[in-house]
Structure formats: structure tokens, C-alpha cells
Amino acid sequence: MDDRVSEAGGSTFWKATDEILARSVAVLTFAPGFPRVNDVVTAARAASRLTDPRLTQVFDADDSGERAYVVSEWVTGETLEDLLAQGPMEADRAAAFLLEAAEALTSAHAAGLAHLCLTPHNLVWTSGGTVKITGLGVEAVLSGAESDTPALDDVQGLGAMLYAALTGHWPGGEGTVLPPAPSGADGLPLLPSQVRAGIPHNLDAITGRALGLAVRGAPERFDSPGAFADALAKVPRSPLPFVPLVGSTPPAVMPRPDSNPDGTAKMSPAASQPIPPVQTVPDSARMRPPQPPQPPQHSRAEMRSSGGSRGGGGQGSSNKALLAVVVVVVLVVVAVGGWAVSQMGGDDDNKNAKGGTQSSAAASPTPKVGELKVDRVLLDNDPPHVDTTAPRDLDKATDSSKSSYWTTQHYYGADFGGQRKGIGLVLDMGRTVTVDKVAVSMPDGTPGRVELRVGDSRKSSASQTQDTGDAVGNFDLTGKHVKGQYVTLWFSKLPSIGVFQVKVKDVTVYGTA
């Protein structure tokens, strides 16, 4: 367990680390005597059989021991509520966003599972550039939500999220910081087109049908997420940028509108421009024909000269005379410059002949910084309390594998349980090198503390400290171009990754040999 994210009603939601597969996971635990443990585990196991990548994947669920738990995918990204903090989405983007959610729920209902608790928190634009629905099955059990018409309830949830995406207002109950949707005389939410100008009629009708609002010319309500998805599939949509990039571009949003006297949306010219999506099709600039290259300047001078000679004899003669003068001046300058260079070269030759230094042109090029090979991995692990685990698997700290680790033993506190001042992972480079930086990869968790020491002794205390940093996750330590044969990571404070322990996935040294 790494971080307690939230706690409510006897259940606790954690961010944790799967130490076998070296990945972050979400863990749900329950207080002793929690009344719905069996129902939650049963719902999680049912959700684990679903294969749609737009639904949160469940990895494990168990209630056979003293503490029941559910382990699922850790989803990173921005929720629909986060995205709408800037204002509503463009209509065609909102349609594409909710179509993905509707198709995912269609696959869940086909397997006999409903969500029943759809809010802007449960729809996520992930950091990998995809749409994800969280909380399927489990959230309904935790909240005690039940329904005789689960398909209609999920259609209502989809319609509410489409309404929010189009207007920036929430037509449902509480549970979100979005402003409530304005209502009419009947107490029902106004249609999206009555809240924000420019909403296409087809999206207005789809939203109204999902929420049970009266829409002129629209048929009855949707009876399933599949019917909702079919209707959205017929609406013109902009493609979402499904590109697996960290921090990928979110669906474009418009600034939150303020009402003008005429009822139209007011927005600043700069803010009204949508956030550009990741480029998936050629834009107009890429489709422009290549511009013909401009002729060089001397060609234009020659054209002007020849044109002048055609325009009249006197003008042509004066141009030719001027051109001749320019040529003579250029030749003189070139000759003087050549003589000066030869004199400089002669001086250098004389200096070299007398045993002086070579000219700067003949000096050795600056060595290029690159990854340096580690000769062997050692350990600074002095008595009296020797770490019995640390000497094992030292080579795994530099094997570039994403699934192997070098670890220390577990301790009872960040201060090594009072047994040690620290522990050193020593990289013997096999020769003297110049260290530019050291890249370290560790699991996420509560940070520890590490020092980068470089010197000609394998004892950490005899090496010079170059940089310090938080020992957690992926980070770099600066070598400050210092020279030495031994590069040491001295851990003076243990990180917490569920236990107090140093766990290093990979270390890479960059510099020059």
C-alpha cells in the first residue's frame, strides 16, 4: 500500500504497487464487519470477466481471509468533471467522447452488469489518450444502489454526462462540483440548446430522449445503452486523438459561457479557440503545394543588369561600370584576407616547429556524453547490522530489465529501524570516468533520501557527494562532471512502498570515459 486515497462507510481506497509486475494498482479494503463484503467481491469478480478496454480491469478479489480486498487497474487521467472545469466541450467532441462510454456500457449490459452510479467522476480521459469508465458494479454495491430498470438508469446516466459535456452543467443530483442545470417551469432541466447556443438539434434530441425531456419531433426514450450508442453513432463527430502519449491532448473544450443580453454565449476571442487535438489528419498547411524556391540574390542582380542594358545604352554602360568596380573591390578584399590567413598560419607553423601548442583547429574534439558501461556492482554494507538481503541480485540494478529489482531487507522505519546510518549501492566503472548524471528507476511511494557520491574509493564515506534527491519513482542525479571510478547511491533514508525498503529497478550512468 502506498497512499490512502479516500475512506468512506467502512471501505478504504488505496493506491498500491504490484511488486511482481512493477505497476501501480488500485486496492479497495474493508473494515472488519463491513456488511456488504460478499456482494462487493462478487460484483468485482463479475466485472473481471469483461474484456472491453474502456472498462476498468479488475485483477483480483478475495474475501476468504481476515481482510477482504479488491485489486483493480490504477487509472490516471482527467475525469469529465476535471475537463469541464474549463467549460463545455465542442459538440462534435462531446458526441465522440460519450459514444465511447455508451459502447463500453453496452458490452457490460450484454454480460449482465450495470453501473447505476454514473457521474462525471466515473468517466475518465486517460493519460494514454483513451476513454475509461470506472466503478462498474462495485460502486453500486458500496452505495447501496439497486434498480428494477438498470438499462434505463444507465441511459439516464449517459444522458446526464452528455448534457454536462455540452453545457458544463449537471442535470443529475449531488456528487459533483459542476453547477446544476437550469430548470424550466416544470422543474425539469432545460434542453442543452436552451442553456448554450449552437447545440445541434440531433444532439439536443438525443440528450432529451436519454433524460426523459420533451423534445419536439423526437421519439420515445432510449431503452438501453446500446440504443443510445446507435443514435450517437449517426451524429457527425470529430475523432478523439487516441494516441498513447503521456499527457495526451484532452477532448477540446470551449470556455464556460456567460450569458449575453441576447441569450447567446459570450466568450473571449482567444479562449474561444478549442484546444487542438493531436494531429491525426493532414491540416491545410500540410496540404499546401510547395512554394517555388526564391532565386538567389546574385541571380536577381544579373537580371536587373541585363534588363538595364535592354532599356538604354547609357544606363546599361553605367551599370556595367559600377559592376566592374564592385568586382575589383571584392577581389582586393579576398586577396588581403588570404594574405592575412597565410600569415597567421605561418605563425602557427613557427610555433609548432619550436615545440609550441597546436592551433585550436587541431585540438581534440570534446568527448560526447553517453551511457557508460558498469563493470560490476558492489555494496557498502558495513557491520554491525549487516543487511542480509542487499548482497543478493546486485546485478539486477543495472540489467535494464523492467521486471527485476535489487532490494534491501524490510526495516521498521525510514531510519533503517535505528540499525544503520544508510546503505550504498556502488557501481564500479572499471576505470576513471567523468560523470554527467545518473538516472535511477524505483517504485512509486513515500520518498526516501539518496545521495550521489563519486570518487576513487569504493567506500562511500571517502567519495565526494555530488547531488541529493528523493528516492522514489524515476529521477536523475547530477554528477557535475566530476571524475572517479566508483559511483555510489547512498540511501540515508528509506522510502515507503508498503514497507520500508530500498528497491531499485535500474541505474544508468551517463558521462564520458
Side-chain angles (χ1 to χ4, degrees):
M1 302 296 189
D2 296 332
D3 296 302
R4 181 186 286 107
V5 179
S6 62
E7 188 171 5
S11 64
T12 306
F13 184 66
W14 303 79
K15 181 181 181 183
T17 299
D18 179 342
E19 295 185 347
I20 296 177
L21 298 179
R23 61 181 174 183
S24 294
V25 293
V27 177
L28 192 63
T29 60
F30 309 94
F34 185 78
R36 296 184 294 276
V37 167
N38 293 336
D39 293 337
V40 172
V41 171
T42 299
R45 287 173 176 167
S48 71
R49 294 191 287 269
L50 300 176
T51 58
D52 193 309
R54 294 165 293 193
L55 299 171
T56 304
Q57 185 178 359
V58 177
F59 300 135
D60 191 14
D62 183 56
D63 59 350
S64 60
E66 294 182 2
R67 296 292 296 269
Y69 60 86
V70 174
V71 182
S72 59
E73 174 185 6
W74 178 259
V75 179
T76 59
E78 295 182 279
T79 66
L80 178 61
E81 183 177 75
D82 296 331
L83 294 172
L84 297 180
Q86 305 174 51
M89 292 183 184
E90 293 180 318
D92 52 357
R93 296 272 176 195
F97 200 54
L98 266 297
L99 176 59
E100 296 292 322
E103 290 178 345
L105 281 180
T106 299
S107 65
H109 278 257
L113 284 176
H115 196 291
L116 305 183
C117 295
L118 290 171
T119 72
H121 293 287
N122 300 113
L123 188 56
V124 180
W125 176 255
T126 72
S127 57
T130 60
V131 174
K132 185 83 70 172
I133 293 179
T134 64
L136 179 69
V138 172
E139 199 158 317
V141 176
L142 291 176
S143 64
E146 297 180 353
S147 175
D148 294 329
T149 57
L152 288 178
D153 285 356
D154 277 354
V155 166
Q156 178 109 1
L158 289 167
M161 290 195 293
L162 178 57
Y163 189 107
L166 291 170
T167 67
H169 294 266
W170 180 242
E174 298 179 354
T176 176
V177 299
L178 295 179
S183 58
D186 56 1
L188 295 176
L190 297 176
L191 288 171
S193 60
Q194 296 174 297
V195 179
R196 176 187 167 199
I199 302 295
H201 175 73
N202 48 13
L203 285 178
D204 212 36
I206 290 173
T207 308
R209 290 177 64 188
L211 295 175
L213 306 178
V215 182
R216 182 180 302 175
E220 68 282 352
R221 295 185 66 176
F222 298 113
D223 59 0
S224 68
F228 180 87
D230 289 342
L232 274 183
K234 299 174 184 177
V235 174
R237 303 176 310 281
S238 292
L240 292 174
F242 293 116
V243 180
L245 296 174
V246 174
S248 66
T249 306
V253 296
M254 302 295 289
R256 187 177 301 284
D258 295 316
S259 196
N260 283 324
D262 60 359
T264 60
K266 176 172 46 176
M267 55 190 74
S268 66
S272 64
Q273 297 301 318
I275 299 174
V278 174
Q279 189 66 39
T280 56
V281 295
D283 60 18
S284 58
R286 296 182 182 182
M287 297 299 290
R288 295 192 192 109
Q291 297 298 318
Q294 295 294 331
Q297 292 298 321
H298 70 273
S299 297
R300 289 199 295 270
E302 291 170 356
M303 291 172 63
R304 286 195 299 269
S305 176
S306 61
S309 64
R310 288 193 300 268
Q315 183 67 31
S317 300
S318 61
N319 286 343
K320 290 180 179 179
L322 179 60
L323 179 60
V325 172
V326 170
V327 171
V328 171
V329 171
V330 170
L331 291 175
V332 170
V333 171
V334 170
V336 171
W339 174 83
V341 170
S342 66
Q343 290 298 103
M344 293 172 61
D347 290 343
D348 288 342
D349 290 340
N350 292 336
K351 290 180 182 178
N352 293 335
K354 296 178 181 179
T357 59
Q358 295 288 332
S359 66
S360 59
S364 300
T366 303
K368 185 177 181 181
V369 174
E371 180 179 339
L372 300 178
K373 182 180 178 181
V374 177
D375 188 60
R376 57 178 178 162
V377 184
L378 308 170
L379 193 65
D380 191 342
N381 182 26
D382 286 343
H385 300 288
V386 174
D387 190 310
T388 57
T389 301
R392 310 171 192 168
D393 300 324
L394 285 168
D395 59 318
K396 290 183 178 179
T398 57
D399 63 359
S400 302
S401 171
K402 296 182 179 180
S403 59
S404 63
Y405 293 87
W406 166 74
T407 66
T408 65
Q409 67 188 45
H410 299 172
Y411 290 87
Y412 290 104
D415 62 348
F416 294 85
Q419 298 181 12
R420 310 179 54 84
K421 295 294 185 182
I423 192 167
L425 183 68
V426 184
L427 309 180
D428 181 0
M429 308 306 294
R431 71 282 190 205
T432 298
V433 298
T434 301
V435 180
D436 184 71
K437 73 172 182 178
V438 177
V440 186
S441 178
M442 300 176 64
D444 292 329
T446 303
R449 200 66 179 164
V450 63
E451 300 176 13
L452 173 63
R453 301 177 177 180
V454 180
D456 291 322
S457 172
R458 58 182 295 178
K459 297 298 295 179
S460 302
S461 58
S463 299
Q464 183 180 357
T465 299
Q466 300 299 311
D467 196 7
T468 60
D470 290 337
V472 67
N474 299 320
F475 59 94
D476 292 342
L477 297 171
T478 302
K480 300 179 182 178
H481 311 294
V482 69
K483 293 185 178 182
Q485 179 176 339
Y486 297 94
V487 178
T488 301
L489 297 180
W490 177 257
F491 295 92
S492 57
K493 177 184 176 182
L494 290 170
S496 175
I497 53 175
V499 293
F500 290 101
Q501 176 189 36
V502 177
K503 192 170 186 179
V504 177
K505 182 189 301 183
D506 200 41
V507 181
T508 306
V509 180
Y510 294 92
T512 55

